């Protein structure tokens, strides 16, 4: 079981089928700004959850990101290895197809461009962006 900050590592662990708990803590001011600007658009902080459009892996954000809560979530997964492996396999199956590094016509493209396009599909204002 991995305990990791929200970021690209969540996708890397999902691709490897590793159970994880995503965490993110910040100052109260940054948390306030993030909630006001991003929460109306993005409901999740980890890339697997954003790409799936639903909660696949546990996120402990801001005030919920405490040592006790992190330990509880990690202990839950560690105490249920079969469940943890099954959830990790489901995340892998749902997320990996979103990140295929192939263009619309089937041509290879940079993985970073494929990831950016996948994320842009989830941001309403980004529909006018072209990559």
């Amino acid at each position: 079981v991995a305990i990791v900050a929200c970021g690209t590592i969540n996708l890397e662990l999902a691709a490897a089928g590793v159970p994880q708990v995503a965490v993110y803590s910040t100052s109260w001011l940054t948390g306030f700004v993030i909630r006001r600007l991003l929460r109306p658009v993005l409901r999740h902080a980890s890339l697997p959850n954003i790409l799936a459009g639903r909660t696949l892996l546990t996120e402990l954000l801001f005030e919920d990101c405490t040592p006790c809560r992190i330990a509880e979530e990690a202990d839950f997964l560690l105490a249920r290895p079969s469940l943890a492996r099954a959830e990790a396999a489901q995340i892998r199956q749902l997320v990996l197809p979103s990140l295929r590094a192939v263009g619309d016509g089937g041509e290879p493209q940079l993985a970073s461009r494929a990831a950016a396009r996948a994320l842009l599909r989830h941001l309403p204002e980004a529909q006018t962006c072209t990559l």
Side-chain angles (χ1 to χ4, degrees), residues 9-123:
I9 187 66
N10 301 119
L11 288 177
E12 294 169 26
L13 291 171
V18 176
Q20 60 182 297
V21 176
V23 299
Y24 189 80
S25 182
T26 187
S27 71
W28 70 269
L29 180 58
T30 302
F32 175 79
V33 171
I34 288 171
R35 282 189 199 98
R36 299 291 291 179
L37 296 178
L38 292 180
R39 280 295 180 181
V41 177
L42 291 174
R43 293 187 180 143
H44 304 286
S46 68
L47 293 173
N49 289 351
I50 292 170
L51 292 173
R54 62 187 174 104
T55 301
L56 297 174
L57 61 97
T58 300
E59 297 177 348
L60 298 176
L61 310 174
F62 310 117
E63 299 85 21
D64 290 333
C65 186
T66 64
C68 283
R69 289 284 291 127
I70 294 168
E72 286 171 4
E73 292 298 331
D75 185 55
F76 179 84
L77 292 173
L78 288 168
R80 297 160 184 83
S82 296
L83 173 67
R85 281 192 300 275
E87 286 182 355
Q90 178 188 28
I91 293 168
R92 183 173 193 261
Q93 182 180 15
L94 290 170
V95 170
L96 282 184
S98 300
L99 296 177
R100 279 182 280 177
V102 207
D104 295 333
E107 73 282 355
Q109 65 179 356
L110 293 173
S112 58
R113 188 172 297 258
R117 281 190 174 143
L119 288 171
L120 284 174
R121 285 194 298 268
H122 297 279
L123 297 173

